[in-house]
Every structure is written in structure tokens, then in C-alpha cells.
Amino acid sequence: MSVDYAAADGVAVLTVNHPPVNALSLVVREGLMAGIRKALADDSVRAIVVKGGGATFIAGADISEFGTEKSRQGPRLQEIQNALETSPKPTVAAIHGTALGGGFELALTCHARVAVASAKVGLPEVKLGLLPGAGGTVRTPRLAGPEVALSIITSGEHVSAEKALGFGLIDAVIDDLDKDAAAFARKLVAEGAPPPVIERNDKITGIDPAVFSGFRSTSAKKFRGQLAPAKIIDCIEAACTRSAADALAFEATAFQELFQSDQRKALIHYFFAEREARKIPDIPDSVKPQKIASAAVIGAGLMGGGIAMVFANSGIPVSVLDVSEEALGKGRGVIEKNYATSVARGSMTQARMDEALARMRFVTRYDEIGPVDIVVEAVFEDMDLKKKIFAELDRATPAETILASNTSSLDIDQIASATKRPDKVVGVHFFSPANVMKLQENVRGKATSHQTLATVMALAKPIGKVAVLAGNCDGFIGNRMLQYYTGEAEFMLEEGATPEQIDRVAESFGMAMGPLAMRDLAGMDTSVRIRAIRRKTLPADERMTDIVERLVEAGRIGQKAGKGYYRYEGRTRLPDPEALAIIEEASRAAGVTRRTFTDEEVLHRLFFPMVNEAAKELEEGIAIRASDIDVVWVNGYGFPAHRGGPMFWAEQVGLDKVLATSRALAPRRGVRWAPAKLLERLVAEGKGWASVG
Ligand code: 3H9
């Protein structure tokens, strides 16, 4: 049974047992309705408790049932809510784990909510391109006020029991889920239950309308291009200005509109993509990950320091090694400054900062690392240096220690060859700044064992990262594609587009930052060195523009110099005719006649060549599935999740268009830009990525 029924001492307890997360699937809705009816019909029952079995309360509607026949069958969630809300016998939601989305909305229709201290509640529908469609936008402001409702529903954050109590979203924090919830229900029987939320507060009065206009303007940039947050604000405003019944009707219409949107489809694709990415088809379930309870990081630079913070923040003690006390001191200073900024911003407490720092040790000798479970090397990209380090690590750490490299492009097999344990060598590529960016691109060498892979894949969750497995090639999944994205941005500049147009198109599409503004931020002085090396190994049929070199020569190295592709006033970027003149000169020197671009062409040329390259990665098995590539780009490169990732988006736009662009560009760019065989096949057969593999 997906909902167990038990009655004792006048309290009926309905326990949802529907692993993994007790989602409100058809069987659960049927079970809940049957349980409520049974309890209402039983005269010996005086109160009803709803709880989750296993690890959690109810995680919301069953997303996998969306749009299916099952979602239309059986009692609707709203009917169950109505039964709970109008029950003459007090109803109590007893929460542990998480009460999310429709699960929390169900709890909001009980007469009271109690939760254990470790529980979390939330309305995360926004992350699926939706809004709470079962009264969440109507009942939350009635309990917690519009400010809290706006904040938690537009962010989808999981709110701790303590905070939820403070907001008035729950009524008590309890110790024992079963005993205390039943006792609470009996208390309601004895004292009389409060009326349901919407009855208590049919219409909210006295709210300053400026709350909504203010929130709209302060959050406009954050929610740029996203449909759901705007609709959520509208719903909460309606909830605060209309009767509950009207507000529920308003919410229902808005929910349906979002449900039909492409963004909802894209975000649900993305939700499952992130979970699918954890599954590695050839690793049997019998392979268990090694425990990671201690770590070391080699290199106290920006990357190494960030990775050390990731471990320390998640409670894993970490040794940081660098060659000199001076380098260590500098690294430590940067780490402390980063933490201090978080404390000043209020995103971290001083106590947590102190705890994290106390988990870090700074050492200069390999023998001081000790018997750690994993080492992540994060020094600069020099194969000889990395090999030396891995040989040292092989000598200085126990045989079972996993040796990982944070390299963003070098050959893992070559690195592994410096050790006697290539099965324990793996790429674990974090993105800068490592303590902020969520992607963890793990790279499989030819000798990497199943257990090593299972371990680094499992490591991601406790350290707050999203893992994807990539094969070993130059640039792995993400950076291999990036070359085409930034490369094409440059070619478009040379052919007549302006930096403003290219960045505007990328940003209005939803990229966190346009490719050229990103370069200005990173600083182009370092890229000139890397580009000089790349030029030497460039295939004979390819060329690179020299715009970056010309800008750097003119002192325009980026934001830190106040000028690059743009000129800067503080952090504000402004178009600069001087930069444009340099770009125009580069076009002339290359013999290219400048022309205008439509925004659509800019968009397609930015993303189609990299999608073509991604198709080659799929062909070669570098990426296991197209959706893994989406996860890489959303978490590592700021690709908008509400577009589903580059592969999902490209398929929506039409793979034939991707193919046409590759065909048109290849003769000018070189054979590496030629259409992927896989892309040609899919277009010829009228199929999508899902048919691959
Ligand atoms: C909603 O409620 C709409 C209403 O407002 C209106 C209705 C009228 N459905 O994440 P995990 C699967 S919208 C189906 O790895 P964790 C997931 O795919 C919903 N399946 O575990 C995975 O499957 P597999 C609002 C779901 O411990 C497995 O469960 N609710 C659902 O890291 C384990 O998931 C949400 O948006 C679902 N709702 O995290 C909550 N949820 O093993 C979405 C999970 O085959 N869920 N699965 O790969 C979550 O945020 C996390 O899953 C949760 C657990 C925090 C619950």
C-alpha cells in the first residue's frame, strides 16, 4: 500500500510510503483520499495525522506523471486538500525530511503543521518553470506575509523548521515525529482546532502595494527572461488583494499558463538530466564508493584555495600544500578574505567561518599530507609538473588514496602514467570560482577503476556539486565546446558584429554574461599567452582572428584596466568607439568586408557550432548522453537552465538548422568545424538526441 492507515487512541495516522520521495503519484492520491474517508467515517477517530514513511514527507506532485493519463486519473490534489481543510476532525501534517511543492501545499491545508528540527519545507516549483498550483501562493502570504512569500516562492529555497516556525508556516517543532504529532492532534481535539488558513484570513488587508512594485524592480535582473517568477509575484499580489477563492482561481490559471510553456518543459528536462547524469551505465550497483572523510589539495592558488573551501565547508578536513610558506600565506589570505566577504554579506556566520578555517591545514611537504582519502591537484597546466606531483603523491599517500587532477584539458592517462595506481587516478574538474560554481566534471582515464569513478561521482552531493562524467580528450565536455563558442564570437566581430550586439544577444537569451564581457572580466593578458601556444598547434586549414592581440597591444586588457572590448566606469560597461576602431582595423587587415548581423544569426552562430562539436563528443563517447552536456553548460558556463541546456534548446530550434550552419561555416573555418556524422544522421532520420545510445 502506498498509504498506510493506522488508528490508535482516537488518532488516525496516514503514512505515505512511496519511495523514493513520496511524490503525489496517482496511487498516493488514491491512498490519501481513501485514508481520509476511512478516518472521517470511523467514530472512534477524532483527529487525523498525515506523515511520510521512509526518509521524507511528500516531495510534491509526481513530476514524471506530468502530462500523462495518470495525472488526470483519481482524486486531484485539490480534492484531497479540500477534504483535509473542511474535515470536522482536526488534521495535522507531521513533517520530517522535506515537505516540498504540492507536499507542503497539502500540509498547508491541514489545521496545523508540526515538524522535527531537521525538516525543511519549501515551494520549489519555480525551479521547474512552474508556480505552486495547489494554493501555495494563496496560503503562504496568509500565514507569513507577502515579503516572506515573495522571497521563498520565487527562490524555491528549502526553509528550515526553525525558520518556518518563525515565519508562522508551521506551528511547532517536535522531537518525536510519531508521539509528538499524535499528542499535538489530541491537543487540538481537546482545545478545538484553529480554522483553516484561508478561512482564518479570507482577505488580507493593509498591505502596501509598493511591496510588489519594489520586489519586481529589485529582482528584475535576477529573473531576466524567466516566466515563472513574474507569474509568482502576480499570484502573491492577487492573494493579497483578493478573496481566497478568487486568488485560488487566479493561481490556477497562472499555473496552467506556465504548465504549457517551453520553459516548464526545459526545466523539467533539466531536473531529470541532473539526476540522470549521476548514473554511469557500465558501473554495476554492486560497486560501492569509497568513503571520503579527509582530503588534500595541491596548490594554494585561486583554484586550489576554492577547492579547499569546498571540502572545508562540507565538514571534510583538508590539507593544502604549496611549495613555499610564502605561497601558502598568500593562498590562506585569499581564502580568509573570501570567507570574510561571505560573513559581511550575511551568507555565512562567523562561527561557520571559524569552523571551516579550523578544518584546513597548510603544509609544504608531501609527507605532511597524511593518510587522506582523496587528493585534488590544482596547479597550473603543465604536464611535466603534474607528472612530478603525481609521482610524489604516489609515494607519499596510502595505496587506496584517490589521486585526482583538476586539469581543465590535459591528458589524464599521461598524468596517471606517473603513478603505480592508474586505477585510482581520475580527473575532477571544478570551475572557477570553485567555491561558487556547481559543476564537477569528472574525467575517466582508460585505467580509472569503477570504484574510483563511483567515488568521485558520489562525492559531488555532500560537497554541494553537480557531477557529470566526461571521457578523456582535449577540453573534456565543456571546454572542448567553449572554443567554438568564443571562436565564433570573434569571427562575428571580425565580420561586422559589435561587442555590444554579441553580448546583448547572449545575455537576453539568458547567459549569465556575454562571451566578450566575460573575457573583459577574466582579463585578456593571460589569454594572449595561451592563444600564442594554440596558434602553434592550429591545424593548417584553420586561422584565429587577432582581435584579442590587437586589443591587448593597445593596453585594453579588460575590466581591470578599465578598457577591453568596452570601456568601464566602475563596473559599468560602455560601448567604446576606440575598441570598435581596433576591431574594424583587424577586419581590414584580414581582408574581411564588414556587414550587419541579425540577432538571430548571432545567436545561432554562437551556439550551433558548439552543439555540432558536442554531437562529436557523443559520437566518440566523451559524453554519455546529450542531457549530460546540458548539465555541464548550465552549471559550468552560465547557460540558462530555463532553456534546458544547449542540446535541449538546439533540438527545440531544429537540428537541421544546426546542421545547415555547420555546413555553411566548415569551408571557411576548417575541417574541425565540419558537421558531425551523428548530426547528419539524426537530421536525415528525423530523430532527436534521445535516440542516441
Ligand atoms: C508540484 O508539486 C506542483 C504543485 O504545486 C501543484 C500540483 C497541482 N516527482 O533528487 P533526488 C525522483 S511540482 C517525481 O536524487 P535527493 C528523482 O527523479 C513538484 N520524481 O534525491 C530521483 O529519481 P531517480 C515540486 C521525483 O534526496 C529520486 O526521486 N517538488 C520527484 O537528492 C531521488 O531524487 C519539487 O520540485 C518528484 N516530485 O533530493 C521537488 N522528486 O533516483 C523535487 C524527486 O530515478 N525534488 N524525484 O533518479 C527534489 O527537490 C529532490 O528530489 C528532493 C530529494 C529534495 C525531494
Side-chain angles (χ1 to χ4, degrees):
M1 282 291 276
S2 54
V3 179
D4 286 341
Y5 183 94
D9 300 330
V11 178
V13 179
L14 312 188
T15 306
V16 181
N17 280 314
H18 189 52
V21 295
N22 293 332
L24 292 160
S25 318
L26 172 60
V27 282
V28 172
R29 283 180 279 119
E30 284 173 340
L32 280 170
M33 203 62 194
I36 296 168
R37 288 206 178 109
K38 189 169 170 182
L40 291 178
D42 184 343
D43 287 342
S44 71
V45 169
R46 317 231 3 233
I48 304 170
V49 169
V50 181
K51 66 187 262 282
T56 187
F57 189 71
I58 299 169
D62 184 340
I63 307 167
S64 64
E65 274 187 6
F66 278 175
T68 68
E69 203 42 49
K70 279 188 178 172
S71 69
R72 288 181 281 275
Q73 292 168 352
R76 296 172 64 225
L77 172 57
Q78 286 84 347
E79 290 170 48
I80 300 166
Q81 290 179 300
N82 193 38
L84 290 168
E85 202 159 44
T86 58
S87 162
K89 305 179 181 184
T91 53
V92 176
I95 301 169
H96 76 303
T98 47
L100 298 177
F104 185 51
E105 291 176 292
L106 180 138
L108 286 172
T109 53
C110 290
H111 294 103
R113 287 147 295 285
V114 295
V116 295
S118 58
K120 296 210 163 121
V121 304
L123 296 165
E125 285 88 342
V126 67
K127 294 184 183 160
L128 303 174
L130 284 171
L131 54 81
T137 67
V138 179
R139 294 185 180 88
T140 308
R142 279 174 166 69
L143 282 173
E147 285 92 349
V148 169
L150 286 167
S151 158
I152 67 173
I153 307 180
T154 58
S155 68
E157 74 170 284
H158 296 187
V159 181
S160 69
E162 189 193 344
K163 238 169 124 183
L165 183 68
F167 290 153
L169 291 171
I170 65 168
D171 300 279
V173 176
I174 54 172
D175 294 324
D176 187 307
L177 188 68
D178 296 314
K179 277 194 212 137
D180 294 347
F184 200 93
R186 274 186 218 105
K187 192 169 79 116
L188 293 189
V189 173
E191 294 173 1
V197 177
I198 53 172
E199 212 176 284
R200 250 185 274 174
N201 210 347
D202 178 48
K203 202 157 179 194
I204 308 180
T205 51
I207 306 255
D208 179 359
V211 170
F212 301 101
S213 51
F215 192 83
R216 280 191 182 95
S217 68
T218 52
S219 60
K221 191 166 172 221
K222 189 160 118 204
F223 299 138
R224 193 186 46 200
Q226 297 177 51
L227 300 174
K231 286 247 179 258
I232 288 170
I233 304 170
D234 292 348
C235 284
I236 298 173
E237 188 171 32
C240 294
T241 47
R242 302 177 184 211
S243 71
D246 277 1
L248 285 170
F250 187 89
E251 181 196 79
T253 307
F255 180 84
Q256 277 313 321
E257 282 169 20
L258 288 179
F259 198 84
Q260 302 308 326
S261 71
D262 288 343
Q263 293 194 5
R264 192 273 297 175
K265 289 175 200 128
L267 281 159
I268 286 182
H269 156 80
Y270 180 74
F271 175 85
F272 287 116
E274 208 177 281
R275 282 148 185 89
E276 194 66 14
R278 298 180 200 145
K279 298 168 193 159
I280 312 304
D282 66 320
I283 303 185
D285 289 345
S286 56
V287 175
K288 297 292 170 228
Q290 282 174 240
K291 197 166 141 245
I292 301 291
S294 57
V297 175
I298 311 302
L302 216 57
M303 203 65 209
I307 299 169
M309 288 171 77
V310 170
F311 283 118
N313 293 350
S314 11
I316 300 174
V318 56
S319 302
V320 184
L321 182 143
D322 212 317
V323 283
S324 68
E325 289 294 345
E326 194 195 338
L328 277 180
K330 212 170 140 201
R332 189 187 176 126
V334 173
I335 291 172
E336 282 171 357
K337 204 169 138 222
N338 280 337
Y339 277 134
T341 309
S342 303
V343 172
R345 261 205 233 115
S347 57
M348 187 180 221
T349 62
Q350 182 68 44
R352 281 209 55 204
M353 164 176 168
D354 296 343
E355 279 162 27
L357 281 172
R359 288 189 196 107
M360 293 186 185
R361 284 170 67 230
F362 294 86
V363 301
T364 50
R365 290 186 306 110
Y366 285 86
D367 294 325
E368 290 175 282
I369 292 176
V372 293
D373 298 322
I374 190 168
V375 182
V376 182
E377 161 276 311
V379 303
F380 55 87
E381 300 285 52
D382 176 327
M383 181 56 84
D384 291 339
L385 176 63
K386 291 200 193 250
K387 280 178 148 180
K388 264 189 215 134
I389 290 173
F390 273 72
E392 276 292 332
L393 290 171
D394 200 29
R395 180 192 62 73
T397 60
E400 57 278 11
T401 301
I402 290 178
L403 304 181
S405 174
N406 180 57
T407 180
S408 60
S409 60
L410 296 180
D411 182 353
I412 294 296
D413 294 333
Q414 263 201 65
I415 297 176
S417 71
T419 73
K420 294 191 197 68
R421 59 176 105 168
D423 57 314
K424 296 266 175 215
V425 177
V426 65
V428 175
H429 178 207
F430 294 98
F431 285 66
S432 190
N435 52 316
V436 177
M437 299 297 285
K438 292 198 80 122
L439 183 63
Q440 181 187 325
E441 188 183 37
N442 296 326
V443 185
R444 175 182 209 153
K446 66 172 186 286
T448 313
S449 73
H450 279 167
Q451 197 192 24
T452 302
L453 289 175
T455 306
V456 293
M457 292 305 290
L459 173 66
K461 200 169 179 184
I463 63 172
K465 299 292 168 200
V466 175
V468 175
L469 186 62
N472 186 20
C473 69
D474 186 15
F476 316 127
I477 294 178
N479 281 349
R480 178 166 157 180
M481 291 162 68
L482 184 69
Q483 295 172 35
Y484 292 84
Y485 173 67
T486 51
E488 201 49 35
E490 274 181 53
F491 282 123
M492 283 192 281
L493 275 183
E494 194 182 69
E495 288 170 33
T498 62
E500 302 85 84
Q501 185 186 17
I502 293 173
D503 285 336
R504 176 178 47 74
V505 169
E507 288 166 14
S508 45
F509 177 74
M511 293 299 286
M513 196 180 257
L516 304 170
M518 184 62 113
R519 280 223 173 123
D520 267 0
L521 183 69
M524 289 188 275
D525 41 346
T526 46
S527 42
V528 165
R529 280 196 291 276
I530 299 164
R531 287 165 66 91
I533 299 167
R534 263 187 59 206
R535 268 178 212 284
K536 285 189 196 141
T537 55
L538 210 59
D541 63 345
E542 284 188 33
R543 63 176 282 268
M544 285 163 73
T545 77
D546 60 3
I547 295 172
V548 171
E549 287 72 10
R550 284 172 186 264
L551 289 170
V552 171
E553 220 166 87
R556 309 189 67 97
I557 60 170
Q559 207 172 315
K560 59 188 170 192
K563 53 186 186 174
Y565 288 105
Y566 301 89
R567 72 183 175 84
Y568 291 84
E569 277 175 16
R571 281 183 175 188
T572 311
R573 67 178 199 237
L574 299 160
D576 192 346
E578 270 182 34
L580 196 59
I582 293 173
I583 294 166
E584 283 166 354
E585 181 51 39
S587 307
R588 257 193 303 280
V592 178
T593 310
R594 293 179 68 78
R595 64 173 175 95
T596 55
F597 278 75
T598 64
D599 286 356
E600 188 182 64
E601 186 179 0
V602 170
L603 185 69
H604 290 179
R605 281 191 39 188
L606 276 177
F607 291 115
F608 286 171
M610 72 173 218
V611 168
N612 181 53
E613 188 62 17
K616 294 181 187 175
E617 294 178 2
L618 274 176
E619 252 166 29
E620 294 166 24
I622 294 299
I624 296 172
R625 26 181 120 71
S627 60
D628 287 6
I629 298 167
D630 290 335
V631 177
V632 164
W633 270 75
V634 167
N635 290 287
Y637 300 86
F639 195 95
H642 64 266
R643 305 268 185 194
M647 304 302 268
F648 180 86
W649 169 76
E651 192 169 299
Q652 304 299 305
V653 178
L655 296 185
D656 55 330
K657 293 197 175 124
V658 180
L659 180 61
T661 299
S662 293
R663 281 189 177 144
L665 287 176
R668 285 186 272 154
R669 300 276 181 271
V671 288
R672 287 199 313 157
W673 296 64
K677 299 262 175 309
L678 173 66
L679 190 61
E680 286 183 326
R681 177 169 70 73
L682 291 179
V683 172
E685 294 174 2
K687 290 185 176 157
W689 304 121
S691 67
V692 182

